[in-house]
Amino acid sequence: MLHAPHRLSLRLTAALLGLCALVASAQEAPRARARDLGVAPGIFAPGKYNAITDVAGVRVGQVTLVEGDTVRTGVTAILPHAGNVYRSRVPAALHVGNGFGKFVGSTQVNELGELETPILLTCTLCVWKAADAMAEWMLAKPDMQQVRSLNVVVGETNDGGLNDIRSRPVTADAVRRALETAQSGPVQEGSVGAGTGTVAFGWKGGIGSSSRKLPESLGGWTVGVLVQANFGGVLQVEGAPVGRELDRYAFQNAVAAQENTRGLADDRGDGSVIIVIATDAPLSDRNLRRLASRGMMGLGRTGSSASNGSGDYVLAFSTAESVRRAFDAPQLQTTELANEAMSAVFQASVDAVEESVYNALFMATTTSGNGQTVEAIPLDRVREVLRAHGLAPKQ
């Protein structure tokens, strides 16, 4: 049995190790979003914050959990609007690019074509704890006292390299804080929230976001994206072969006939990604399913092949008032966008997904945890590769 001074010493040591990891991260070279490097995929302009929160009403809350030298994880919450989502539901659809994952609530979303809770993102072995915590949080609301069924929606990626995932460190308090502190405006990116312990393309991954605003002649709609990037492949940035040039890519061992010495670098390109697409365009769940499927096109542009061991999910929803669904409505009378008006929305989503992945990578910081260290992608080297391929990034 440990005496009190020894227990105190262990707690202090764990706290100091966590602090050292944060200090090392803070001393790293400044990070930058994709557009700071001159990387601006597509043709449409971004919204004010170039984030999912450019879609009016959408809010994001994040809780980052860094404890001792083993816990590197967190929670990211996405709220579709300011009201009770159970009472005022938004149409939604989920596309499964590769189903190696745990996406709580997915079957009912696709069956009924709607969301009745916020969306949570976290680590693999914490999805059920997060789901239970959000259910408790919602059922405690004054207007939910008679509710006997609730379809909570929680996605995940596996951060078990940097995080002691088996300890299942996400708590109900962390989930409540993420939900209750959600706000509009700029979205934190990189090694935060559900992206605290993630890895992408062999570099530190994380949370990334982006948006596109369509011209008025195309409806003036806004499309916003948030990604939890934890996947692999052969990284390319607007077509430039960054992964190959930086000598870090999937199947590198087989191709180059060399021994993998980087520990966490995944030679198979495995991992996972959750992509959330929000829009104020009034879309039916059928067209949201079509929109969600386009998310894989944006993912493919970055170099992912949706490998066997990658859980690649895209959830899309519409915040438009004209397609909202009251939970007890006997009939739905909606005004929605026609098929012929979807093409620009598709284009906007593909471009925003691509940029969100770049933002997740470029904003992430070198992270140590659980006996491992994963480096942030070196932005100076990325700039060199872009210049060499004629993309002329900003200085």
Side-chain angles (χ1 to χ4, degrees):
M1 178 180 294
L2 289 174
H3 296 295
H6 293 89
R7 291 196 297 269
L8 178 60
S9 176
L10 288 173
R11 288 198 296 270
L12 287 173
T13 300
L16 285 171
L17 286 170
L19 180 60
C20 288
L22 291 176
V23 169
S25 177
Q27 292 174 341
E28 209 174 348
R31 307 304 290 169
R33 301 189 83 194
R35 286 177 184 258
D36 297 327
L37 275 67
V39 177
I43 54 174
F44 299 128
K48 179 179 180 181
Y49 302 108
N50 193 15
I52 193 172
T53 48
D54 287 321
V55 179
V58 175
R59 294 172 293 152
V60 174
Q62 304 197 79
V63 170
T64 299
L65 299 175
V66 175
E67 301 171 7
D69 62 352
T70 59
V71 173
R72 303 288 184 272
T73 193
V75 181
T76 297
I78 303 169
L79 282 64
H81 58 72
N84 184 334
V85 184
Y86 182 86
R87 297 290 174 181
S88 182
R89 303 176 182 190
V90 297
L94 182 76
H95 176 79
V96 181
N98 192 67
F100 198 119
K102 277 61 68 180
F103 205 111
V104 173
S106 61
T107 55
Q108 185 170 314
V109 169
N110 274 345
E111 180 68 22
L112 302 185
E114 62 192 26
L115 284 175
E116 59 184 55
T117 72
I119 303 156
L120 292 180
L121 307 180
T122 190
C123 70
T124 301
L125 291 184
C126 292
V127 289
W128 306 281
K129 293 181 71 176
D132 186 63
M134 181 158 64
E136 291 284 354
W137 180 75
M138 289 201 68
L139 292 172
K141 292 180 178 295
D143 56 351
M144 298 284 285
Q145 299 304 311
Q146 303 304 314
V147 172
R148 296 184 178 181
S149 174
L150 188 64
N151 187 52
V152 293
V153 175
V154 185
E156 55 80 25
T157 69
N158 194 315
D159 56 16
L162 288 168
N163 176 47
D164 179 13
I165 198 168
R166 287 178 58 87
S167 69
R168 306 180 71 204
V170 170
T171 63
D173 177 67
V175 171
R176 285 193 298 270
R177 283 190 286 130
L179 290 163
E180 291 172 359
T181 60
Q183 58 187 356
S184 57
V187 172
Q188 281 188 295
E189 294 172 306
S191 309
V192 297
T196 301
T198 61
V199 181
F201 296 107
W203 305 100
K204 183 65 185 70
I207 297 295
S209 196
S210 186
S211 70
R212 294 295 184 274
K213 174 74 173 176
L214 297 183
E216 291 301 322
S217 61
L218 295 173
W221 313 114
T222 298
V223 177
V225 171
L226 184 143
V227 303
Q228 180 190 16
N230 189 53
F231 61 100
V234 184
L235 175 63
Q236 55 185 22
V237 178
E238 290 205 287
V242 172
R244 290 174 58 188
E245 294 288 340
L246 298 190
D247 198 34
R248 189 167 299 195
Y249 52 91
F251 307 108
Q252 181 176 354
N253 296 345
V255 172
Q258 64 186 31
E259 183 181 353
N260 183 345
T261 60
R262 286 191 298 273
L264 281 180
D266 192 341
D267 193 49
R268 299 169 299 173
D270 286 342
S272 291
V273 62
I274 304 295
I275 301 170
V276 180
I277 303 175
T279 183
D280 58 4
L283 304 185
S284 64
D285 55 274
R286 178 182 58 80
N287 267 332
L288 284 165
R289 186 169 292 110
R290 299 175 70 204
L291 178 63
S293 71
R294 269 60 177 187
M296 294 301 295
M297 294 183 178
L299 189 67
R301 284 184 182 178
T302 70
S304 167
S305 61
S307 69
N308 174 71
S310 191
D312 303 329
Y313 296 86
V314 190
L315 178 65
F317 65 88
S318 170
T319 64
E321 290 281 356
S322 66
V323 292
R324 295 271 180 91
R325 305 171 176 184
F327 84 104
D328 56 352
Q331 292 183 329
L332 296 177
Q333 295 181 335
T334 63
T335 301
E336 61 191 51
L337 217 57
N339 294 335
E340 291 297 321
M342 288 298 300
S343 293
V345 181
F346 291 156
Q347 182 70 52
S349 69
V350 173
D351 296 341
V353 168
E354 180 184 6
E355 186 169 351
S356 294
V357 172
Y358 299 150
N359 284 336
L361 272 172
F362 298 165
M363 290 297 289
T365 51
T366 296
T367 301
S368 296
N370 206 30
Q372 305 277 0
T373 295
V374 179
E375 301 168 339
I377 192 168
L379 297 185
D380 55 344
R381 298 285 309 282
V382 173
R383 289 185 178 95
E384 291 173 3
V385 175
L386 295 176
R387 288 193 199 99
H389 289 269
L391 293 176
K394 297 176 183 177
Q395 300 295 322

